[in-house]
């Protein structure tokens, strides 16, 4: 069969986060060799903070340290003048047919999948989370060849296994979502610089000027206020689980450490080189500081869920530390907004 | 985070992969490094699983005591909630809730039960004959 072949030149790229990884690897495959994970993350304005009020996910607070799933790929491609092809399907059959067609055309594609049925993942990581991203780059002996960017090596899934994860149900249900860049032209340094500036501006907007009190830097204060009440409201055990959920969202595989803050620091360092603007190095340091502070707060939170810290004072200290982090990030984004980049 | 401070505490990822982290090298520049894990987050994950297992055990007891149907137990076993189970079966949440009642569960036909069994990756018999 014509599609029983792998896309020969595809190179697996291991990254911290799956969507950054798919973006980086697919753009590189299309000739944009300069693409790196921090650049994709920054141009896609990936840094964020939100706690969605009154919503719990897996019996913990609904918190994210990054932007909406799918946004980074779209924004980064758009900035570089690359068309994004994206499709969802009504049935696994039509989704499979389209995937086979792309493979037969030697086009590696991004696929959104749920991790609960992802057989190669460790069992402990298989929760119902549907915004994982992988690249399908070939088919051999009835198995799809996959590049999961969070892994050191490539892997594979049977047809049934891949169909199942592409049609996982629940929040962010993938519905067979497949996406890939098209019409990748020549990208000039000027376009990269513009993309960087645009990415930074949009990130400033999202973190400083988003309406409401539960997203952007103010979202960190919202969580801080919550944490103060958790001990009395939820009891020590549940409060510990809630804090554990924050730590996992912040530090688990995919974040690069420190709730994506180190990744953003790395982006600003690259941005400084592209824009020849050393002021960005200084601001990069502030995100490193913020990432370190998030990790410090994780250690304190661990004290609670390990049962070592039980007093309200500890909850207040954690809450206070989050307020300090908010100040550091607010300052850093204010500085970014005042740079007048690209003017 | 400095490169030399990157934790290497093996956890659930041990036989799967090491993870990419962004760290500062000796020249103060960012680079990537691979980590085996970090105890602080391992404890958080372990804790979450202790909680999941407790919920499953409670659900099992509820089935034994005749308070809940096997649908409820398997929902917990598969880490699902009502909206998610609703997504996999196509039944509205209101009906899923009704099917938690042992008396109503008993009256369900094989067609409906099959949808639950498929959602839980078990056989029809396993679902029907689960006693706790």
């Amino acid at each position: 069969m014509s599609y029983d072949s792998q896309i020969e030149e595809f190179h697996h790229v291991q990254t911290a986060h799956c969507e950054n990884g798919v973006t980086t690897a697919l753009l590189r495959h299309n000739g944009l060799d300069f693409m790196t994970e921090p650049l994709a993350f920054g141009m896609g304005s990936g840094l964020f903070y939100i706690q969605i009020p009154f919503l719990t996910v897996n019996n913990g607070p609904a918190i994210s340290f990054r932007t909406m799933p799918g946004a980074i790929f779209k924004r980064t491609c758009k900035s570089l003048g690359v068309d994004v092809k994206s499709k969802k399907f009504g049935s696994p059959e039509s989704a499979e047919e389209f995937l086979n067609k792309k493979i037969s055309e030697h086009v590696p594609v991004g696929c959104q999948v749920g991790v609960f049925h992802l057989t190669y993942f460790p069992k402990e990581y298989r929760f119902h989370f549907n915004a994982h991203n992988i690249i399908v780059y070939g088919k051999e002996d009835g198995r799809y060849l996959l590049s999961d960017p969070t892994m050191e090596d490539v892997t594979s899934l049977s047809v049934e296994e891949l169909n199942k994860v592409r049609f996982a149900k629940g929040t962010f249900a993938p519905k067979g979502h497949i996406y890939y860049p098209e019409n990748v032209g020549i990208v000039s340094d000027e376009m990269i610089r513009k993309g960087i500036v645009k990415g930074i501006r949009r990130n400033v907007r999202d973190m400083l000027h988003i309406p409401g009190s539960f997203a952007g830097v103010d979202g960190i204060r919202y969580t801080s206020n919550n944490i103060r009440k958790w001990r009395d409201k939820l009891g020590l055990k549940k409060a510990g689980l809630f804090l554990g959920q924050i730590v996992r969202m912040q530090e688990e595989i995919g974040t690069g450490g420190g709730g994506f803050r180190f990744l953003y620091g790395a982006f600003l360092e690259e941005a400084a080189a592209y824009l020849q603007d050393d002021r960005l190095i200084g601001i990069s340091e502030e995100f490193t500081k913020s990432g370190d502070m998030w990790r410090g707060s994780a250690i304190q939170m661990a004290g609670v869920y390990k049962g070592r810290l039980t007093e309200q004072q500890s909850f207040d200290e954690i809450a206070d530390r989050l307020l300090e982090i908010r100040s550091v990030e607010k300052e850093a984004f204010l500085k970014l907004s005042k740079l007048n980049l690209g003017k | 985070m400095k490169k030399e401070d990157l934790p290497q505490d093996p956890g659930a990822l041990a036989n799967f992969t090491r993870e990419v982290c962004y760290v500062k090298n000796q020249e103060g520049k960012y680079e990537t490094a691979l980590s085996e894990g970090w105890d602080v987050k391992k404890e958080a994950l372990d804790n979450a699983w202790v909680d999941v297992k407790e919920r499953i055990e409670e659900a099992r007891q509820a089935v034994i005591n005749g308070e809940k149907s096997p649908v409820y137990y398997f929902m917990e076993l598969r880490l699902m909630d009502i909206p998610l189970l609703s997504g996999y079966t196509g039944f509205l949440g209101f009906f899923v809730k009704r099917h938690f009642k042992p008396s109503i569960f008993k009256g369900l036909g094989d067609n409906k039960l099959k949808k639950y069994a498929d959602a839980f990756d078990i056989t029809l018999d396993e679902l029907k004959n689960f006693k706790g």
Side-chain angles (χ1 to χ4, degrees):
Chain A
M1 265 182 280
S2 59
Y3 56 75
D4 246 19
S5 65
Q6 78 186 66
I7 293 153
E8 276 169 31
E9 312 86 15
F10 181 77
H11 293 292
H12 172 71
V13 182
Q14 192 194 7
T15 51
H17 192 266
C18 59
E19 189 184 335
N20 301 338
V22 169
T23 307
T24 306
L26 291 184
L27 289 176
R28 278 192 203 170
H29 182 82
N30 282 275
L32 305 187
D33 294 332
F34 62 85
M35 192 45 70
T36 62
E37 175 174 27
L39 203 53
F41 184 70
M43 285 176 120
S45 314
L47 200 74
F48 197 45
Y49 186 88
I50 187 165
Q51 179 182 353
I52 302 169
F54 313 114
L55 182 72
T56 57
V57 177
N58 293 319
N59 305 303
I63 283 176
S64 180
F65 287 81
R66 65 180 294 276
T67 191
M68 280 286 288
I72 290 175
F73 181 74
K74 268 187 220 145
R75 290 165 176 173
T76 302
C77 285
K78 204 177 160 205
S79 278
L80 297 170
V82 172
D83 291 343
V84 170
K85 291 284 161 191
S86 172
K87 250 174 119 65
K88 289 188 178 182
F89 302 88
S91 75
E93 292 75 27
S94 54
E96 189 187 329
E97 194 183 326
F98 188 81
L99 175 63
N100 288 340
K101 183 168 164 275
K102 294 323 286 180
I103 293 172
S104 71
E105 292 166 3
H106 301 282
V107 177
V109 291
C111 282
Q112 186 191 336
V113 297
V115 298
F116 186 75
H117 293 102
L118 204 54
T119 43
Y120 61 79
F121 253 43
K123 195 179 172 298
E124 291 86 344
Y125 279 83
R126 287 167 56 185
F127 288 89
H128 292 278
F129 171 71
N130 287 332
H132 189 52
N133 294 275
I134 58 175
I135 293 169
V136 182
Y137 68 93
K139 197 178 180 191
E140 220 172 53
D141 302 328
R143 290 180 73 82
Y144 286 107
L145 306 177
L146 312 178
S147 159
D148 184 323
T150 61
M151 288 174 71
E152 286 175 81
D153 297 312
V154 292
T155 183
S156 69
L157 281 179
S158 72
V159 173
E160 295 74 30
E161 285 169 332
L162 184 64
N163 280 342
K164 193 153 194 174
V165 293
R166 292 181 74 197
F167 280 86
K169 300 291 194 297
T171 312
F172 298 128
K175 300 190 172 83
H177 186 204
I178 197 169
Y179 57 95
Y180 51 95
E182 213 171 60
N183 298 328
V184 183
I186 293 167
V187 174
S188 66
D189 278 3
E190 183 55 23
M191 279 172 89
I192 301 173
R193 283 194 289 271
K194 275 193 177 153
I196 289 170
V197 170
K198 192 174 176 193
I200 292 174
R201 284 223 193 105
R202 187 167 37 207
N203 228 142
V204 167
R205 183 200 69 191
D206 286 353
M207 286 299 279
L208 295 183
H209 307 303
I210 194 162
S213 59
F214 53 83
V217 294
D218 289 344
I220 304 172
R221 184 175 56 200
Y222 181 80
T223 302
S224 165
N225 291 340
N226 272 249
I227 289 172
R228 273 181 224 283
K229 298 176 208 145
W230 280 352
R231 185 177 175 274
D232 288 343
K233 202 172 146 191
L234 306 172
L236 269 177
K237 192 186 155 204
K238 202 166 179 192
L241 285 166
F242 272 44
L243 292 173
Q245 175 122 322
I246 298 179
V247 170
R248 285 164 56 214
M249 292 299 116
Q250 178 192 316
E251 298 297 338
E252 262 308 349
I253 182 166
T255 63
F260 298 90
R261 270 56 188 167
F262 297 140
L263 189 45
Y264 203 72
F267 160 66
L268 291 179
E269 203 177 271
E270 284 194 32
Y274 274 108
L275 301 175
Q276 308 223 320
D277 189 336
D278 280 348
R279 294 176 301 175
L280 289 167
I281 302 272
I283 303 176
S284 165
E285 290 294 342
E286 298 191 25
F287 284 96
T288 308
K289 185 180 168 193
S290 162
D292 285 334
M293 289 170 79
W294 277 113
R295 281 177 84 84
S297 82
I299 293 170
Q300 262 183 312
M301 290 179 188
V304 176
Y305 54 75
K306 283 180 188 172
R308 190 167 49 79
L309 303 176
T310 55
E311 300 300 316
Q312 177 60 32
Q313 192 196 336
S314 301
F315 285 80
D316 286 332
E317 280 168 16
I318 293 167
D320 289 343
R321 195 186 279 241
L322 258 59
L323 291 181
E324 287 169 37
I325 295 173
R326 174 183 177 268
S327 309
V328 170
E329 293 192 2
K330 188 169 184 181
E331 265 310 297
F333 276 109
L334 278 172
K335 280 184 190 164
L336 279 176
S337 75
K338 284 179 190 149
L339 288 182
N340 285 319
L341 292 169
K343 277 182 188 162
Chain B
M1 178 172 45
K2 289 186 183 134
K3 193 175 180 179
E4 60 265 32
D5 297 334
L6 182 66
Q8 300 289 351
D9 310 329
L13 292 173
N15 295 315
F16 175 61
T17 188
R18 289 175 295 169
E19 57 187 303
V20 167
C21 291
Y22 282 79
V23 293
K24 288 273 190 157
N25 64 21
Q26 285 186 330
E27 284 93 59
K29 292 226 168 203
Y30 267 106
E31 62 179 47
T32 58
L34 291 169
S35 166
E36 300 208 23
W38 188 25
D39 278 343
V40 164
K41 70 180 174 108
K42 179 185 181 292
E43 298 266 357
L45 185 60
D46 289 350
N47 238 10
W49 276 100
V50 168
D51 184 53
V52 166
K53 285 180 180 150
E54 279 175 14
R55 299 166 72 91
I56 295 169
E57 183 52 30
E58 278 168 26
R60 202 174 67 84
Q61 286 300 333
V63 174
I64 292 173
N65 298 341
E67 297 153 11
K68 290 275 163 59
S69 78
V71 171
Y72 181 78
Y73 168 78
F74 284 106
M75 177 182 79
E76 291 290 349
L77 184 70
R78 295 293 185 242
L79 277 60
M80 294 177 169
D81 55 15
I82 293 171
L84 190 57
L85 186 50
S86 190
Y88 275 101
T89 56
F91 302 135
L92 290 175
F94 167 79
F95 291 105
V96 173
K97 248 184 188 164
R98 272 172 63 83
H99 300 160
F100 290 165
K101 291 184 185 160
S103 55
I104 291 176
F105 175 78
K106 267 183 214 144
L108 289 177
D110 280 1
N111 278 346
K112 284 186 177 167
L113 290 175
K114 183 76 173 63
K115 286 191 178 172
Y116 280 117
D118 288 347
F120 300 138
D121 280 315
I122 54 173
T123 63
L124 198 53
D125 281 346
E126 281 174 283
L127 180 64
K128 277 181 172 174
N129 300 326
F130 182 77
K131 302 277 184 277

